[in-house]
Amino acid sequence: MAKHSKKSTKKFEKNHLKDTIERRKDFAKIKQRQQIKAKKQARHASDYAKVADEDEEEQGPKDNGRVAKDADKLKDMTVDEFFQGGFEIPEPTKKASKLAKIKEAKAQSGKRKRDAPQDDDNSELGGGESDASFEDQALAIDSSSEEETEERPGAHREDLDALKEKDPEFYKYLKENDAELLDFAEDGDLAEVDDLSEDEPPKKKKKKGKTIEPPEEEKDDDETEVTMSMVSKWQKAMTEQHSLRAMRQVVLAFRAAAYVNEEDGKEYKYTISSPEVYHQLLVISLQHVPEVLGHHLPVKETASGKVRFSTDTKKFRTLTPLLKSHATSVHHLLENLSDAPTIKLTLASILPLLPYLLSFKKILKNLIKAVISIWSDPSSTEATRINAFLLIRRLAIISDASLREAVLKSTYQGLIKGSRNTTIHTLPGINLMKNSAAELWGLDPTIGYTTGFTYIRQLAIHLRTSITHPTKDSYKAIYNWQYTHSLDFWSRVLSTHCSPATNPQLKSAAASPLHPLIYPLVQITLGALRLIPTPVYFPLRFHLTRALLRLSRSTNTYIPLAPSLLEVLQSPELKKPPKPSTLRPLDFATTLRAPASYLHTRVYQTGLGEQVAELLAEFFAVWAQSIAFPELVIPPSVLLKRWLKEVSSPPTPSAPHRGPHHTSKGRGNKNAKLTAAVALLLQKLDANARFVAERRRKVDFAPGNRDGVDAFLKDVPWEDMPLGAFVLSMRKRNEERERVLEEGRRGEEEERRRGRKEGGGVEDGDGDGDVDMEDAEGSEEEDDD
């Protein structure tokens, strides 16, 4: 049986429940309104400050005093006094009223605000029943707002037309400050553009008793199939008369051409069936539409790189739908192109359109993502990548802070995406991306610091997780090409923008806003460098060491790199005798993990020794002019001498019972080439230390004289130092060797390509051994683990 309610409960429900619910609803509404009002006041405090001068001129000092007095009265009120009423609410300023109208117009257009009041039933329940986070709620609200806006384009037009009739002054203000709110119907026929063609011959009127042929342009409007004569006519009108009417037809036809292979159910005004017409239409659209826009809407550029043009004219407001339609078509075309010359032409056509698209951030962000995708695509040619980067850089210069931050983030994400696979073929393109992207972080040091801090912190989190929560595969989050290229990229950024040599306006490296990022980057790189200290990952250690060397050389920051390099010499891989092998020398530039077949071989041992000797020489060459160089090289010199003694130990005589001619094998590695390279390095270190010590005896300042210490040997070029001359000759020798290897590789590829053409055979793999190398790494990874 159902449980019966008490008599008192029934009496309360009958007499007082309705009034109680109404009072609670009213209280919740008042409380919510005040919360909304407080949020709006905090949000628009900056806007009120901007118009403070205008308010003083219009209202006078008395009105300002009254508003301040009313604000203090509200501030001092208790909650009970507030709900009792009986006070005057301060009148909003003229700027605030305009902002309120903007929000009202956005609400009418279907864009629901986050702080809008809920329904009465929901307000009664309170706000504690939702478990979603604030960000999830914001994303859900934004997505629903976009859906409502897309579903109600007709209602949007009706609301704005009603607003124009009701308050024309505010409608004009809205067009000047929030033009994107009024723009819609990108798929329209853009007929209003014809009204701007004042410089073109007007259409003739029909006289009584006479039948006049309609103009040829009207005939073109009636035709749906684009022909070569129509395209030629449009091109002539755009080049000779800068005709907006012809540009409108070209934009409509270009929209149909961009979506020619799409089955989206949309109907377009024109159809294109001829490949020649399609090609010619693309050419005139990409070349002449920006020229016509530049003629009718000239852009002025300031000395600081900012662009300005008039946005309050009727011409710009009318051309806005055309701009958006053309930009959307270019974006769609760019995502589906594969021909390098056409991509280059399309990118060149976007460059002059950027100033006009700054007001439409959504379209511009989608467009720049497509450009960054081309820039980071390994299949793109070098010329295409350079054109894409010029477009990215141009946008970063002329845009505001928020858009510039979005460009930097998208660029970094594109760089990480494009560096996933590193081979001898893709490495030049990855280096081009890193060098070009590093330039963007110097355009705005403030935004460059915030974005750099965010991504460097992300790298630190990955490294900490791998150390604190070790699993079988946790190291793979660190020991991969993307993580390595990311650390190398940030070293290039800091080396470029924290170096007084490349930035003459910097008195020292510490004067750069990006200088505080050097320490965390060095700590992360050193931690990643020693995460797995096994000979298999010595190539990765060399990559990270080179990144830190670049940073140390450019910013004059001491980074202790010698210990990590001496660890390689102390490993059994370089102390024990190697086994013979016929393998090719390992390419350390495109290798992070040595294959198991290379371990304990002479070719791998020799390559490790050459890398260690080269990096040690480069490291000490950075401080070759330092007054403390003799003391700096003492510990490494002792270790190098001890290592040479160990690996060069002669065979010891055998015991008497084994015979007089029997000797032991000795403890050396029996690699004369390796020991000779280390001995030569040790000799150059001693020579440079003696040179510095001799010059140091002649100084007349104490160690506490910082200026004198910094100026020591500045008059001597580092190339004239004993160690500097050695490093310079080593660099030239390495460059010559790389040139010869590159020429040989290209010759092999040419012969292989010629053999395929003659024999009609199919090449196995990619023909350069990269696939075999990667397959070997993948198959041997489980064995090593």
Side-chain angles (χ1 to χ4, degrees), residues 343-488:
I343 294 177
K344 184 177 179 181
L345 178 62
T346 307
L347 294 174
S349 70
I350 299 175
L351 195 62
L353 295 178
L354 291 179
Y356 308 110
L357 299 177
L358 290 177
S359 302
F360 316 114
K361 292 187 177 180
K362 183 178 179 180
I363 295 178
L364 193 57
K365 287 181 180 180
N366 293 333
L367 190 61
I368 205 64
K369 284 181 181 179
V371 175
I372 291 175
S373 178
I374 294 173
W375 172 74
S376 61
D377 189 1
S379 61
S380 299
T381 62
E382 182 178 355
T384 303
R385 290 189 171 192
I386 293 175
N387 280 272
F389 172 73
L390 293 178
L391 185 60
I392 298 170
R393 183 180 181 274
R394 175 64 174 172
L395 178 60
I397 291 176
I398 67 175
S399 60
D400 57 2
S402 61
L403 194 57
R404 188 178 296 117
E405 182 178 2
V407 170
L408 292 181
K409 290 182 177 180
S410 299
T411 302
Y412 180 74
Q413 293 169 1
L415 170 65
I416 298 303
K417 181 180 178 182
S419 61
R420 180 178 289 109
N421 296 321
T422 302
T423 64
I424 194 172
H425 304 287
T426 61
L427 185 60
I430 294 174
N431 290 331
L432 175 64
M433 285 195 298
K434 290 190 287 189
N435 291 329
S436 57
E439 182 183 351
L440 300 179
W441 264 259
L443 299 178
D444 192 334
T446 303
I447 298 178
Y449 173 80
T450 56
T451 55
F453 177 84
T454 301
Y455 289 119
I456 292 176
R457 179 178 179 272
Q458 188 180 36
L459 296 174
I461 292 173
H462 286 303
L463 179 61
R464 183 187 63 184
T465 303
S466 179
I467 296 175
T468 57
H469 302 285
T471 61
K472 182 179 179 181
D473 297 331
S474 61
Y475 74 95
K476 293 182 180 180
I478 308 299
Y479 279 17
N480 57 71
W481 275 116
Q482 290 177 314
Y483 197 92
T484 304
H485 283 306
S486 181
L487 290 174
D488 183 71

Side-chain angles (χ1 to χ4, degrees), residues 91-252:
E91 297 179 0
T93 60
K94 183 177 180 181
K95 182 72 175 180
S97 62
K98 289 184 177 181
L99 292 173
K101 290 182 178 180
I102 292 176
K103 296 183 179 297
E104 181 182 357
K106 288 184 177 180
Q108 292 177 358
S109 63
K111 294 186 177 181
R112 190 168 67 248
K113 302 304 291 181
R114 298 179 184 176
D115 53 358
Q118 303 290 334
D119 295 336
D120 292 344
D121 297 337
N122 295 335
S123 63
E124 182 182 352
L125 296 175
E129 62 186 41
S130 176
D131 296 333
S133 64
F134 178 79
E135 294 182 0
D136 294 339
Q137 294 176 359
L139 290 174
I141 291 174
D142 292 342
S143 61
S144 61
S145 301
E146 292 178 1
E147 290 176 0
E148 290 181 7
T149 305
E150 292 176 358
E151 291 174 358
R152 301 177 62 253
H156 184 61
R157 178 186 289 274
E158 294 174 1
D159 293 337
L160 292 176
D161 291 341
L163 179 65
K164 183 177 181 180
E165 296 177 359
K166 182 179 178 181
D167 194 345
E169 181 181 356
F170 170 65
Y171 187 83
K172 180 181 178 181
Y173 171 82
L174 196 62
K175 277 195 171 185
E176 296 174 356
N177 294 273
D178 200 356
E180 193 169 3
L181 175 64
L182 306 180
D183 297 330
F184 51 89
E186 297 176 11
D187 296 331
D189 59 355
L190 312 176
E192 60 273 11
V193 177
D194 290 346
D195 298 336
L196 300 179
S197 305
E198 299 176 355
D199 55 341
E200 301 174 33
K203 299 178 181 179
K204 297 181 180 181
K205 296 183 179 180
K206 183 178 180 180
K207 296 182 180 180
K208 295 182 179 180
K210 294 184 179 180
T211 302
I212 301 178
E213 292 289 333
E216 295 183 356
E217 293 181 359
E218 292 186 8
K219 291 182 179 180
D220 294 343
D221 293 348
D222 296 336
E223 297 180 6
T224 59
E225 177 67 26
V226 180
T227 61
M228 188 62 73
S229 60
M230 294 169 59
V231 175
S232 302
K233 193 183 306 177
W234 293 338
Q235 182 179 8
K236 182 178 179 181
M238 292 173 67
T239 53
E240 296 180 357
Q241 304 176 9
H242 298 97
S243 171
L244 290 175
R245 189 179 300 157
M247 184 179 68
R248 171 205 163 209
Q249 304 300 330
V250 169
V251 170
L252 292 175

Side-chain angles (χ1 to χ4, degrees), residues 744-758:
R745 185 182 63 83
R746 291 180 179 178
E748 290 180 359
E749 290 181 354
E750 186 66 26
E751 291 179 1
R752 192 180 299 111
R753 193 180 300 111
R754 192 182 304 111
R756 287 200 308 270
K757 291 181 179 179
E758 294 176 356

Side-chain angles (χ1 to χ4, degrees), residues 435-653:
N435 291 329
S436 57
E439 182 183 351
L440 300 179
W441 264 259
L443 299 178
D444 192 334
T446 303
I447 298 178
Y449 173 80
T450 56
T451 55
F453 177 84
T454 301
Y455 289 119
I456 292 176
R457 179 178 179 272
Q458 188 180 36
L459 296 174
I461 292 173
H462 286 303
L463 179 61
R464 183 187 63 184
T465 303
S466 179
I467 296 175
T468 57
H469 302 285
T471 61
K472 182 179 179 181
D473 297 331
S474 61
Y475 74 95
K476 293 182 180 180
I478 308 299
Y479 279 17
N480 57 71
W481 275 116
Q482 290 177 314
Y483 197 92
T484 304
H485 283 306
S486 181
L487 290 174
D488 183 71
F489 167 71
W490 290 116
S491 75
R492 293 173 189 254
V493 172
L494 300 182
S495 300
T496 303
H497 303 295
C498 297
S499 174
T502 57
N503 298 278
Q505 66 272 17
L506 295 178
K507 296 182 180 180
S508 63
S512 173
L514 300 178
H515 185 267
L517 298 176
I518 293 179
Y519 178 78
L521 179 65
V522 171
Q523 294 299 318
I524 296 169
T525 308
L526 290 176
L529 183 142
R530 289 195 172 105
L531 183 62
I532 302 181
T534 59
V536 177
Y537 290 103
F538 281 164
L540 183 142
R541 177 176 294 208
F542 297 150
H543 281 284
L544 298 183
T545 302
R546 293 183 187 277
L548 293 178
L549 266 176
R550 182 192 304 109
L551 186 60
S552 178
R553 186 185 303 112
S554 301
T555 62
N556 199 29
T557 302
Y558 178 77
I559 303 174
L561 296 176
S564 62
L565 294 173
L566 293 174
E567 286 178 5
V568 178
L569 285 179
Q570 298 296 331
S571 67
E573 189 72 26
L574 275 76
K575 283 188 173 182
K576 295 182 178 180
K579 58 184 180 181
S581 174
T582 58
L583 296 173
R584 289 183 178 182
L586 186 64
D587 187 5
F588 287 91
T590 57
T591 304
L592 287 183
R593 182 180 184 277
S597 57
Y598 276 83
L599 298 179
H600 312 301
T601 60
R602 178 174 295 275
V603 63
Y604 187 54
Q605 187 183 78
T606 304
L608 290 178
E610 292 177 351
Q611 292 290 318
V612 170
E614 176 186 351
L615 292 174
L616 281 175
E618 290 281 358
F619 168 70
F620 288 112
V622 175
W623 310 104
Q625 297 172 297
S626 174
I627 198 172
F629 184 84
E631 290 74 20
L632 178 65
V633 298
I634 289 177
S637 298
V638 171
L639 290 176
L640 290 176
K641 291 177 181 179
R642 186 180 302 168
W643 182 84
L644 285 174
K645 184 178 181 181
E646 291 178 358
V647 300
S648 303
S649 59
T652 58

Side-chain angles (χ1 to χ4, degrees), residues 207-358:
K207 296 182 180 180
K208 295 182 179 180
K210 294 184 179 180
T211 302
I212 301 178
E213 292 289 333
E216 295 183 356
E217 293 181 359
E218 292 186 8
K219 291 182 179 180
D220 294 343
D221 293 348
D222 296 336
E223 297 180 6
T224 59
E225 177 67 26
V226 180
T227 61
M228 188 62 73
S229 60
M230 294 169 59
V231 175
S232 302
K233 193 183 306 177
W234 293 338
Q235 182 179 8
K236 182 178 179 181
M238 292 173 67
T239 53
E240 296 180 357
Q241 304 176 9
H242 298 97
S243 171
L244 290 175
R245 189 179 300 157
M247 184 179 68
R248 171 205 163 209
Q249 304 300 330
V250 169
V251 170
L252 292 175
F254 178 68
R255 184 167 65 193
Y259 293 87
V260 67
N261 293 325
E262 299 293 330
E263 297 180 358
D264 51 2
K266 293 184 180 180
E267 295 184 359
Y268 301 99
K269 181 176 181 179
Y270 293 105
T271 58
I272 303 170
S273 57
S274 172
E276 292 78 9
V277 174
Y278 178 84
H279 177 267
Q280 188 66 18
L281 178 62
L282 289 186
V283 171
I284 68 167
S285 301
L286 298 175
Q287 287 185 347
H288 299 304
V289 168
E291 295 177 359
V292 176
L293 287 173
H295 174 78
H296 292 279
L297 298 173
V299 177
K300 297 181 180 180
E301 185 172 357
T302 62
S304 60
K306 299 298 180 182
V307 293
R308 294 181 179 179
F309 66 96
S310 180
T311 59
D312 57 351
T313 61
K314 178 184 177 182
K315 184 172 291 187
F316 175 76
R317 293 195 296 268
T318 307
L319 290 176
T320 294
L322 185 143
L323 273 170
K324 298 179 70 174
S325 176
H326 184 67
T328 305
S329 302
V330 171
H331 170 239
H332 184 79
L333 179 67
L334 202 59
E335 289 182 332
N336 297 276
L337 286 177
S338 58
D339 182 53
T342 309
I343 294 177
K344 184 177 179 181
L345 178 62
T346 307
L347 294 174
S349 70
I350 299 175
L351 195 62
L353 295 178
L354 291 179
Y356 308 110
L357 299 177
L358 290 177

